[in-house]
Amino acid sequence: MSSSTLYRLSGIGLLIGGLLAAIGAVAQAFLSEDFLNPLWIPVAASIFIATLLIQVGLPAVYVRQMKQAGVLGLIGFILLFCGLIQFGIGFRFLDIVILPWVGKSIDINTPLSLIFYSLSAVAILLVGSILFGIAILRAGVLPKGPVVLLLVS
């Protein structure tokens, strides 16, 4: 399979993943943390699948501009990739598997370790997306529109 075909397939994965993530985030906002709602699992699963698709397509974005992005691009890519694993996949797996089973029996007081875990995931995701976005803009290989969306999000 040629590299241009792989780039196209990863782009399709990124588009579908981004669309699923946006739809899932809006739907999850309307559910308002109601774990017993029958729509909770499909919405969380759509965000989980979206994150997996983004994880598959993201390396092609980095490889396409690896030389021009430099060290800043590598650091940003690694942080973004790890943040997506920790936040997008880890928490969505929790949403799909654990939360519907325990339902309303969860104690309202969240353990300090879970708060630290979520804050560290958000920090890694935030720093990684900013660094990777700046590196993409500086490289000038890819269009600026999607990069601006990455930076705004």
Side-chain angles (χ1 to χ4, degrees):
M1 190 176 297
S2 69
S3 61
S4 62
T5 304
L6 288 174
Y7 291 143
R8 285 189 185 111
L9 287 175
S10 67
I12 291 170
L14 286 169
L15 285 172
I16 294 171
L19 183 64
L20 272 176
I23 292 170
V26 170
Q28 200 168 38
F30 286 113
L31 293 178
S32 67
E33 302 299 322
D34 183 14
F35 311 125
L36 299 177
N37 190 326
L39 294 177
W40 182 264
I41 292 176
V43 168
S46 72
I47 297 173
F48 182 77
I49 292 169
T51 307
L52 289 176
L53 287 171
I54 291 170
Q55 289 288 102
V56 169
L58 200 58
V61 173
Y62 173 69
V63 168
R64 174 71 176 91
Q65 59 182 354
M66 171 170 50
K67 292 179 183 171
Q68 293 88 351
V71 176
L72 182 67
L74 177 64
I75 293 170
F77 169 74
I78 290 171
L79 288 175
L80 180 61
F81 199 82
C82 292
L84 281 172
I85 289 172
Q86 188 177 6
F87 191 73
I89 294 176
F91 281 139
R92 296 308 154 215
F93 184 76
L94 180 79
D95 282 349
I96 295 170
V97 176
I98 304 297
L99 293 181
W101 286 71
V102 294
K104 296 289 182 184
S105 65
I106 296 177
D107 186 16
I108 299 299
N109 299 324
T110 308
L112 188 59
S113 61
L114 187 60
I115 292 172
F116 177 74
Y117 180 76
S118 65
L119 288 177
S120 67
V122 169
I124 291 170
L125 198 56
L126 177 69
V127 171
S129 63
I130 289 172
L131 290 178
F132 194 55
I134 290 171
I136 292 173
L137 285 175
R138 286 179 54 199
V141 175
L142 301 174
K144 291 183 179 14
V147 180
V148 171
L149 285 176
L150 172 69
L151 290 171
V152 169
S153 70

